[in-house]
Amino acid sequence: MDRCVVLVDAGYLLGAAASLLAGESSRSRITIEHSELIRQLRERAEAETGLPLLRIYWFDAAPDRRPMPEHRRLRVMPRVTVRLGALTRAEGRLVQKGVDAAMHAELSELARNRACADVVLVTGDGDLLPGMMAAKDYGVAVHLWAVQAADGDFNQSEDLVAEADERRVLDREWITRSVQVREAPLPCPPTETHPEFAKILSASQPATVPDTPEELVTASVAAAKPASKVPTPKEIAAGIASARPAAVPPAPSLLRWSSDRGLVERQGEGSSPSDTIPTLTQLTTAEQKWADREEDITTVGGDPTEVGQVFARRWTERLGDPGRLVGLWTDYPRVPHRIDGELLRYAARFGLLAHKDDQIDEHDRYAIRAGFWRELATRVPGGEALTLD
């Protein structure tokens, strides 16, 4: 049937929105205008699928599956159906139970009964992957929506991203139309104590009279001692630090491993211009980290040479001063050890450098580094003169 359906994992949508706007995933940090949020979801779903909306399914959790006030408001809205899982406490934190299973069952049932032609999923949980694959097998087009993650952590399963037919991101501008950061409550001013209560509270307690000589001696000693404060671990650490002599800087390392020359002697950290160049991690903001992850999953194919080029492109663009890279060519083809380690860790995300036939594929390593140098050669003054085979 030519209609679209929206399935919303409220825990993901609102938790990710709170992380984006307030810096933490607690939903208590945000206020939601539910009617406006539902209107936005409906309009965007109809615009992107080109089909009228059948229904929005809102999946959330509540203690004992009893609807909270927000669920009561939602379930009386037109074209909105609320499905509740259980909200339980495990290991000191609240977790939802049954929400993923309910979404999976609803998605499979809608697709099996051909109740819709397109399904929009607002979720990040990879547990929904079997339901997504089943819906596709029944001929349903699956649209996956993500919430922009500003904290740098990718907030969706890569398997879901790979399996979806279409994918969109709900950015900060879209979210703030219906979700706002909750203002911190002002501290309550101190209230005056009732006069009668003040008299009771200010009345001194009768002193305890020692019954035995031993108690008398103990009371006398305790009275003579000044009240001692138990120091905190921070105060103890500060006291120990102040008692220590001035810290002596560690001796510079004289030996460093090079993949092509083995252990080589160096004059110490910072002696080479390449040792002072910041790494990509140091140059990357939280929002850039999230955008990089998006690009890695949706655009980068994973070819070793391509991986090296992508890494080098990001690094040089954020460094902003190609002149600082000129000194690297003196060590060509050796990549500075700090940058090289970061480059290889990045390549490992794509399954490169894995053990193949019980051996690490050195060909991939060379291809990754060759891609790194090939990209730098197009961005660094004088780099074009190098022949990169």
Side-chain angles (χ1 to χ4, degrees):
M1 188 172 292
D2 293 338
R3 295 179 295 188
C4 69
V5 172
V6 180
L7 275 63
V8 179
D9 181 350
Y12 166 77
L13 173 60
L14 302 182
S19 296
L20 176 65
L21 303 181
E24 57 182 274
S25 60
S26 174
R27 288 159 64 169
S28 63
R29 294 297 312 277
I30 57 175
T31 58
I32 307 105
E33 180 57 49
H34 290 92
S35 59
E36 177 63 19
L37 179 58
I38 294 298
R39 186 190 65 79
Q40 288 181 237
L41 289 170
R42 177 172 185 168
E43 289 182 355
R44 181 155 185 169
E46 291 180 338
E48 292 195 3
T49 63
L51 300 173
L53 176 76
L54 171 63
R55 191 174 296 114
I56 294 177
Y57 289 88
W58 186 273
F59 295 87
D60 205 355
D64 299 327
R65 301 179 188 268
R66 295 179 179 176
M68 305 294 287
E70 65 179 274
H71 303 139
R72 296 180 182 277
R73 289 193 297 269
L74 283 164
R75 68 184 184 179
V76 297
M77 294 181 183
R79 305 276 180 163
V80 177
T81 298
V82 176
R83 298 278 190 262
L84 293 180
L87 190 64
T88 61
R89 186 174 294 276
E91 299 181 356
R93 55 189 293 266
L94 292 174
V95 294
Q96 57 184 26
K97 298 291 186 180
V99 174
D100 296 334
M103 290 188 69
H104 179 281
E106 198 71 56
L107 176 59
S108 301
E109 195 70 13
L110 288 168
R112 185 183 302 111
N113 294 326
R114 303 188 183 279
C116 58
D118 291 55
V119 170
V120 175
L121 296 178
V122 187
T123 184
D125 198 333
D127 291 343
L128 204 60
L129 181 63
M132 177 187 287
M133 297 173 66
K136 292 177 63 177
D137 291 341
Y138 282 107
V140 175
V142 180
H143 304 251
L144 182 64
W145 289 0
V147 178
Q148 177 183 349
D151 57 0
D153 294 330
F154 197 75
N155 58 12
Q156 263 188 330
S157 164
E158 295 186 23
D159 293 332
L160 285 182
V161 174
E163 195 68 28
D165 294 308
E166 300 285 346
R167 184 166 179 270
R168 297 291 184 269
V169 175
L170 307 177
D171 58 15
R172 182 188 295 268
E173 180 183 356
W174 191 92
I175 292 293
T176 51
R177 295 175 191 169
S178 56
V179 181
Q180 300 295 328
V181 178
R182 187 188 301 274
E183 296 182 1
L186 297 175
C188 297
T191 57
E192 296 183 0
T193 306
H194 192 278
E196 294 298 326
F197 296 158
K199 291 179 181 180
I200 298 174
L201 295 174
S202 62
S204 59
Q205 298 295 328
T208 303
V209 180
D211 295 329
T212 64
E214 290 79 5
E215 292 178 355
L216 180 60
V217 172
T218 303
S220 302
V221 173
K225 284 185 177 180
S228 59
K229 176 188 175 185
V230 179
T232 65
K234 184 176 181 181
E235 292 171 343
I236 294 174
I240 294 174
S242 61
R244 288 178 179 171
V248 179
S253 175
L254 296 179
L255 296 177
R256 182 166 298 147
W257 180 261
S258 169
S259 58
D260 53 350
R261 287 177 285 178
L263 286 172
V264 293
E265 189 168 348
R266 292 266 170 159
Q267 296 300 318
E269 191 73 22
S271 60
S272 171
S274 62
D275 290 332
T276 62
I277 295 181
T279 62
L280 177 61
T281 300
Q282 294 171 330
L283 298 170
T284 302
T285 65
E287 291 194 0
Q288 287 173 329
K289 181 180 176 182
W290 176 80
D292 291 347
R293 194 68 171 151
E294 282 279 323
E295 182 183 11
D296 292 342
I297 292 175
T298 58
T299 305
V300 181
D303 176 76
T305 303
E306 178 193 15
V307 167
Q309 289 178 304
V310 170
F311 180 92
R313 169 176 57 80
R314 294 173 182 168
W315 184 48
T316 52
E317 286 178 351
R318 291 166 196 174
L319 187 63
D321 183 8
R324 298 185 62 184
L325 302 177
V326 175
L328 294 181
W329 301 110
T330 59
D331 285 339
Y332 172 81
R334 176 184 174 274
V335 181
H337 74 284
R338 295 167 64 223
I339 307 301
D340 188 53
E342 192 177 39
L343 170 62
L344 296 181
R345 287 192 296 272
Y346 171 68
R349 296 181 186 175
F350 300 90
L352 303 174
L353 312 181
H355 289 269
K356 301 174 183 177
D357 299 328
D358 295 329
Q359 292 185 348
I360 296 177
D361 193 337
E362 288 294 331
H363 181 270
D364 284 352
R365 291 178 180 265
Y366 290 120
I368 293 165
R369 290 164 176 148
F372 175 88
W373 286 110
R374 181 171 289 114
E375 182 67 21
L376 256 65
T378 64
R379 296 174 174 270
V380 178
E384 297 85 351
L386 286 176
T387 301
L388 301 177
D389 298 324

